[in-house]
Amino acid sequence: MKEYKTEEEFLKDYDSSMYEKLSMTTDIAIISVSNEDTNNYRKNDKKMMSVLLVKRKDYPYKDKWCLPGGFLNPKDETLEECARRVLKRETNLSNIYLEQLYTFDRIDRDPRLRVVSTSFVALIDKEKLEEKVEHASWFNIISIKEEKNVVTLTLSNNEEIIDFSIKKELRERTTDRYQFVTKENKYLAFDHDLVILSAIERIKNKANYTDIVFNMMPEYFTLGELQQVYEVILNKKLLDPAFRRIIANKVEKTNKMKTGEGHRPSYLFKYKKNN
Amino acid sequence: MKEYKTEEEFLKDYDSSMYEKLSMTTDIAIISVSNEDTNNYRKNDKKMMSVLLVKRKDYPYKDKWCLPGGFLNPKDETLEECARRVLKRETNLSNIYLEQLYTFDRIDRDPRLRVVSTSFVALIDKEKLEEKVEHASWFNIISIKEEKNVVTLTLSNNEEIIDFSIKKELRERTTDRYQFVTKENKYLAFDHDLVILSAIERIKNKANYTDIVFNMMPEYFTLGELQQVYEVILNKKLLDPAFRRIIANKVEKTNKMKTGEGHRPSYLFKYKKNN
DNA sequence: TCAAAAGTGTTATCCCTACACCCATGC
DNA sequence: GCATGGGTGTAGGGATAACACTTTTGA
């Protein structure tokens, strides 16, 4: 897919019959949890969910942010291979959690040509990341508010703020399924606002009945840290004793300790392999 | 997409560069529950899950069964519109439960060209169906057996028996995710064995925490019938009192009765709209 | 000394399972 | 009468929520 710098360049090539051809892309919501310092030697870091966005420089998306993605090579690549190729390019990581999310296919989601996009969720432990990639930036999810089936998200990378809102229209009563419709979105290209919300909801949902959050944890962690990650994903406060009981048989105590935190040191745990 | 009758005809047109172009289809697992007579005036009908299959007559799928499906028209059709078009064609029904399932994209899933298929699950109440469509046939799911991560399914339409087995390979430990790999499949075209199993597992899963099964029920039903449907979907026996308590606030008692069954008559219930 | 988090124990409550039991019908 | 499913009540057990409490540390 050729990139255009200006509208003129774009229009010169433009041919509406392009719309009769079909292309596919994969878009990846790469999600992680970051630590924000609290300026209090006693307090633990505040955890926030964050998502990796890339700034587009080409027409007609100029200066809009979007999820990392790429066109599928139909000759010899599966969608997941395509997604892993993008992941490698953007994070230099392989072997990370990747799950097919949903196939987005609104006809006008790309003004250039008909593109169907299969989106993925990738989860990573941010500690594994080395350097920053050009044009890419981690955005913390500052707030998620839902009122009368309108969800408003605010993201920030400490330089820019991105906010958008999405209407959840009830489509199906028996299974409580909603269709997401963009209500306001100035900063994100395509339908990536919808992809981001879908990804967040998927992870939140799976956190309740799987061990998915361990994909965002380092090898060793304290139960307090783990609880904080659960709390930020589930978007609610948990009670310590209850949390510890539930998590107990999923983790393994090591004899390592975390000290120097201005309060009682804590044991480090690891995810328990066998079950 | 042109249809071929013989191998010669197919090879004459064949051009490996077709593989560089991409097509999409939708395939739909249309699932319903059927009543099988028990030849005992006292006993209720036995319920079975069933799925609609279509017999292919063209090369190279000759005489294989497959799920109803169709090519996406990239110019002006979304995947869901495409699926609804297929549904209308095969069942003459609109306005039925339809849910995107998964996008299947194995490179060699179609020997003719590169096709990525987004699959859907549709649920219907069989009582609403009028006549049989040509080449299409309902197959009851006679048995589902799982042993050491190999699932064996047996389907039958009372004339033919279709059986196939699928290996569930653990891909991801934290969320207990499996990749399905065909182990044996003589009768179904493409990867539709995998689609069928995915559809069954999706419904089974959702039956536990949503009201999805009501999409397969007629307007009025007895609690016994409803319980039978739950049992066939969940593939396990339920205890009457427990079931009735759980279901109680999802249904509404009417003053209609079902009589003439060789045992105490039962009240008819409907799905409760408000919640 | 104290704020903060680590970590444990206890009770009350809810929900589900399992079982027992009675009811109403058609042949 | 009897097989079959319709329908209800209740006791026991397990999980969870809520709260109280002790421990340990760095500044």
Side-chain angles (χ1 to χ4, degrees):
Chain A
M1 190 67 209
K2 185 175 165 188
E3 284 198 1
Y4 300 95
K5 294 247 180 293
T6 65
E7 183 170 4
E8 279 159 17
E9 218 182 302
F10 173 74
L11 288 174
K12 209 176 65 188
D13 265 17
Y14 190 76
D15 169 4
S16 70
S17 76
M18 278 165 74
Y19 244 85
E20 287 162 33
K21 280 203 290 186
L22 178 68
S23 302
M24 282 197 79
T25 59
T26 57
D27 292 313
I28 314 177
I30 307 174
I31 309 271
S32 187
V33 171
S34 67
N35 297 306
E36 299 299 314
D37 201 8
T38 45
N39 299 319
N40 179 336
Y41 81 98
R42 286 194 202 281
K43 283 205 168 184
N44 288 346
D45 288 350
K46 185 164 161 50
K47 305 251 184 226
M48 305 191 90
M49 234 196 298
S50 50
V51 56
L52 190 69
L53 297 178
V54 176
K55 197 156 206 168
R56 291 290 289 240
K57 287 295 176 191
D58 55 318
Y59 186 83
Y61 318 107
K62 200 160 165 54
D63 293 329
K64 291 218 174 189
W65 291 95
C66 63
L67 294 170
F71 279 90
L72 176 73
N73 174 356
K75 195 169 166 60
D76 53 17
E77 193 179 48
T78 64
L79 289 164
E80 187 175 320
E81 283 161 5
C82 176
R84 291 202 183 274
R85 175 166 60 76
V86 171
L87 264 169
K88 178 79 182 167
R89 186 185 74 207
E90 298 295 338
T91 66
N92 204 28
L93 292 176
S94 326
N95 256 33
I96 65 182
Y97 183 90
L98 187 67
E99 174 186 339
Q100 198 190 103
L101 181 60
Y102 193 79
T103 298
F104 289 86
D105 66 331
R106 221 179 54 213
I107 292 171
D108 61 351
R109 61 186 293 286
D110 191 315
R112 298 172 300 175
L113 72 174
R114 180 70 197 274
V115 181
V116 172
S117 168
T118 296
S119 57
F120 287 79
V121 185
L123 301 180
I124 67 173
D125 161 25
K126 235 181 194 170
E127 286 183 20
K128 282 199 196 121
L129 277 181
E130 297 137 25
E131 79 283 27
K132 265 183 86 169
V133 187
E134 215 193 342
H135 288 150
S137 176
W138 286 96
F139 278 75
N140 283 332
I141 296 168
I142 306 288
S143 84
I144 306 178
K145 282 185 201 136
E146 181 159 356
E147 262 177 52
K148 286 193 206 152
N149 285 344
V150 174
V151 187
T152 305
L153 300 223
T154 310
L155 318 186
S156 163
N157 66 349
N158 296 323
E159 290 171 15
E160 287 182 57
I161 289 187
I162 291 180
D163 54 4
F164 54 93
S165 60
I166 290 165
K167 199 158 163 215
K168 290 168 74 173
E169 293 178 352
L170 186 62
R171 289 208 58 196
E172 217 282 310
R173 204 166 42 80
T174 57
T175 55
D176 210 35
R177 255 166 66 225
Y178 292 89
Q179 172 155 44
F180 294 172
V181 182
T182 301
K183 196 166 170 243
E184 196 168 342
N185 173 27
K186 279 194 283 235
Y187 308 105
L188 291 169
F190 312 109
D191 46 13
H192 287 182
D193 52 336
L194 311 182
V195 182
I196 291 171
L197 182 58
S198 303
I200 292 171
E201 297 214 335
R202 171 76 63 94
I203 298 166
K204 181 175 176 174
N205 189 248
K206 285 211 169 179
N208 284 306
Y209 65 94
T210 72
D211 300 346
I212 197 169
V213 301
F214 288 97
N215 292 294
M216 292 182 275
M217 301 301 295
E219 188 175 0
Y220 297 98
F221 48 82
T222 69
L223 292 186
E225 286 164 350
L226 183 60
Q227 184 172 341
Q228 278 187 307
V229 175
Y230 267 95
E231 285 174 347
V232 78
I233 301 291
L234 298 175
N235 206 12
K236 70 174 175 198
K237 200 93 192 79
L238 303 175
L239 291 167
D240 300 13
F243 178 76
R244 275 155 196 269
R245 254 189 301 278
I246 292 162
I247 220 71
N249 55 358
K250 296 181 178 182
V251 295
E252 210 173 307
K253 200 177 197 166
T254 69
N255 44 24
K256 298 188 177 65
M257 301 283 282
K258 186 175 185 184
T259 56
E261 299 287 308
H263 51 76
R264 174 172 169 179
S266 49
Y267 279 100
L268 289 171
F269 288 75
K270 6 185 325 194
Y271 180 52
K272 199 195 269 181
K273 301 282 174 192
N274 56 321
N275 238 340
Chain B
M1 191 65 208
K2 186 175 165 187
E3 284 197 1
Y4 301 95
K5 294 249 180 292
T6 64
E7 182 169 3
E8 279 160 17
E9 220 182 300
F10 173 75
L11 287 175
K12 208 175 68 190
D13 265 17
Y14 189 76
D15 170 4
S16 71
S17 77
M18 279 164 73
Y19 245 85
E20 285 163 34
K21 281 202 289 189
L22 178 67
S23 302
M24 282 196 80
T25 60
T26 57
D27 292 312
I28 313 176
I30 307 173
I31 309 270
S32 187
V33 171
S34 66
N35 298 307
E36 299 299 314
D37 200 8
T38 45
N39 300 318
N40 178 337
Y41 80 98
R42 286 192 200 282
K43 283 203 168 184
N44 287 347
D45 289 348
K46 184 163 162 51
K47 304 248 185 229
M48 303 191 92
M49 234 196 297
S50 50
V51 56
L52 190 69
L53 297 179
V54 176
K55 196 157 206 167
R56 291 290 290 242
K57 287 294 175 191
D58 55 316
Y59 186 84
Y61 318 107
K62 200 160 165 54
D63 294 328
K64 290 218 175 188
W65 290 95
C66 64
L67 295 170
F71 278 90
L72 176 74
N73 174 355
K75 194 170 169 61
D76 53 16
E77 192 179 48
T78 64
L79 289 164
E80 188 174 321
E81 283 160 4
C82 175
R84 291 203 184 275
R85 175 166 61 75
V86 171
L87 265 170
K88 179 78 182 165
R89 185 184 76 207
E90 300 293 339
T91 65
N92 204 30
L93 292 175
S94 326
N95 254 34
I96 65 182
Y97 182 90
L98 188 66
E99 175 186 339
Q100 198 189 105
L101 180 62
Y102 193 79
T103 298
F104 289 85
D105 67 329
R106 221 179 53 211
I107 291 170
D108 61 351
R109 60 186 293 286
D110 190 314
R112 299 171 299 175
L113 73 174
R114 179 71 196 274
V115 181
V116 172
S117 169
T118 296
S119 56
F120 286 79
V121 185
L123 300 180
I124 66 172
D125 161 26
K126 236 182 194 171
E127 286 183 19
K128 281 198 197 122
L129 278 181
E130 299 136 23
E131 79 284 24
K132 264 182 87 168
V133 188
E134 216 193 342
H135 288 149
S137 175
W138 284 97
F139 279 75
N140 283 331
I141 296 168
I142 305 289
S143 86
I144 305 178
K145 283 186 203 135
E146 182 160 354
E147 261 177 55
K148 286 194 206 151
N149 285 343
V150 174
V151 186
T152 306
L153 302 216
T154 310
L155 319 186
S156 163
N157 67 347
N158 296 322
E159 290 172 14
E160 288 182 57
I161 288 187
I162 291 180
D163 54 4
F164 53 92
S165 61
I166 290 165
K167 197 157 165 218
K168 290 169 74 173
E169 292 177 354
L170 186 63
R171 288 209 58 199
E172 217 282 310
R173 203 165 44 80
T174 57
T175 54
D176 210 35
R177 255 166 68 226
Y178 292 89
Q179 172 156 43
F180 293 172
V181 181
T182 301
K183 195 165 170 241
E184 196 168 342
N185 173 27
K186 280 195 282 239
Y187 308 105
L188 292 170
F190 312 110
D191 47 14
H192 287 181
D193 51 335
L194 311 181
V195 182
I196 291 171
L197 182 57
S198 302
I200 292 171
E201 296 214 334
R202 172 76 62 95
I203 299 166
K204 180 175 176 175
N205 191 247
K206 284 210 170 180
N208 285 306
Y209 65 96
T210 71
D211 300 346
I212 198 171
V213 303
F214 289 98
N215 292 294
M216 293 182 274
M217 301 301 295
E219 189 176 0
Y220 297 99
F221 48 82
T222 69
L223 292 185
E225 287 164 350
L226 183 61
Q227 185 172 340
Q228 279 187 306
V229 176
Y230 268 94
E231 286 174 346
V232 79
I233 302 292
L234 298 175
N235 205 13
K236 70 174 174 197
K237 200 94 193 75
L238 302 175
L239 291 168
D240 299 12
F243 178 76
R244 276 155 195 269
R245 254 189 300 277
I246 292 162
I247 219 69
N249 56 357
K250 297 181 176 179
V251 296
E252 209 172 308
K253 202 178 197 165
T254 69
N255 44 24
K256 297 189 177 65
M257 301 282 281
K258 185 175 186 184
T259 55
E261 299 287 308
H263 51 75
R264 175 172 169 179
S266 48
Y267 280 100
L268 289 172
F269 288 75
K270 357 181 339 188
Y271 180 51
K272 199 195 269 181
K273 302 280 172 192
N274 57 320
N275 235 339

